[in-house]
Amino acid sequence: MKKLTIVGFGPGEKSGMTFAAYNAMQECEILAGYSKYIELVRPLFPGKDIFQTGMLKEAERCRRALELADSGRSVCLICSGDSGIYGMAGLVYELSGAFPEVEIAVLPGVTAASSGAALLGAPLTHDFAVISLSDLLTPWEKIEKRLRLAAEAGLSIVLYNPASHRRADYLHRACEILLEILPGETVCGMARNIGRAGEESFVTTLSVLRDAQADMFCTVFIGNASTRNIGGRMVTPRGYRDV
């Protein structure tokens, strides 16, 4: 069978993987993925053949995974978090026309919005939006519009890719935009290295978050008007107590 399985492996440790994700990686012949993600899971699967590429080589990585599957090898293309949320599942399908005999399967994983929310408390109990601050593939003008509209709609907001060496001030810029709409005391939180060594998190306010340091290992949570800091936990009530 010519099959490529796209696996979301969650935060990185075995305990954060679904049984289906772990079993697929255990049973495949080849693990393919971004080099940093390969480093996370490789110790769990010694002896596997590996195909890895660096950042900005996503198309090459997905095409080669399809080629390997087309040759009859059993391949898992791995993604951190969920493979369909800022992952490679969409790109694989885009490229799959050249490999009509390859069966594609997508296995979900725990995305940072879920795992980070659990670390902070319960900030996503009501409607929320997930927005990446990376402008590598999306113009900043569009990101800014999405931030404004999500805030105006009263949604809790999860920010992926809040900062990098090249984008050191992007979280600050995003907070400045949100502060035009939301009060400074809006409850917010940040989680870093979720489910990995060095895991940390804190609950704060939007005015303080504006000047916080962040990097690509961080996930940021902006509360809505109902979000509260309850005993150091970020909690967004849905209204069950009022029913």
Side-chain angles (χ1 to χ4, degrees), residues 212-235:
Q213 298 298 309
D215 57 28
M216 291 291 285
F217 300 104
C218 296
T219 307
V220 175
F221 295 75
I222 314 293
N224 67 17
S226 299
T227 305
R228 299 288 180 265
N229 183 335
I230 301 178
R233 297 295 181 179
M234 187 178 177
V235 180

Side-chain angles (χ1 to χ4, degrees), residues 8 11 15 23 29 33 53 62 75 79 91 98 120 122 125 140 142 166 172 180 187 191-192 206 231:
S15 60
N23 290 339
E29 296 176 69
T53 65
C62 292
V75 183
C79 306
L91 180 55
L120 288 166
T125 312
W140 177 255
K142 184 172 288 187
R166 185 182 65 83
H172 179 88
E180 296 174 10
V187 178
R192 187 176 189 274
L206 183 56

Side-chain angles (χ1 to χ4, degrees), residues 103-199:
E103 177 186 348
I104 298 170
V106 178
L107 296 182
V110 180
T111 187
S114 298
S115 54
L119 193 59
L120 288 166
L124 304 182
T125 312
H126 215 314
D127 300 338
F128 64 94
V130 178
I131 300 172
S132 171
L133 294 190
S134 173
D135 60 353
L136 183 63
L137 301 175
T138 304
W140 177 255
E141 293 75 17
K142 184 172 288 187
I143 295 171
E144 181 174 330
K145 181 177 181 180
R146 290 171 177 172
L147 289 169
R148 292 182 186 279
L149 291 175
E152 290 172 356
L155 299 172
S156 296
I157 303 170
V158 184
L159 301 179
Y160 281 45
N161 307 312
S164 67
H165 291 301
R166 185 182 65 83
R167 301 179 293 103
D169 67 335
Y170 275 35
L171 177 58
H172 179 88
R173 292 169 62 180
C175 289
E176 288 284 340
I177 292 166
L178 294 172
L179 282 165
E180 296 174 10
I181 303 163
L182 303 174
E185 61 270 21
T186 299
V187 178
C188 298
M190 184 186 295
R192 187 176 189 274
N193 287 326
I194 304 166
R196 306 173 188 172
E199 178 183 83

Side-chain angles (χ1 to χ4, degrees), residues 22 26 28 33 44-45 66 109 114 117 119 127 140 154 173 189 205 212:
Y22 181 84
Q26 181 69 42
C28 74
L44 297 173
F45 307 102
L66 284 162
S114 298
L119 193 59
D127 300 338
W140 177 255
R173 292 169 62 180
T205 63

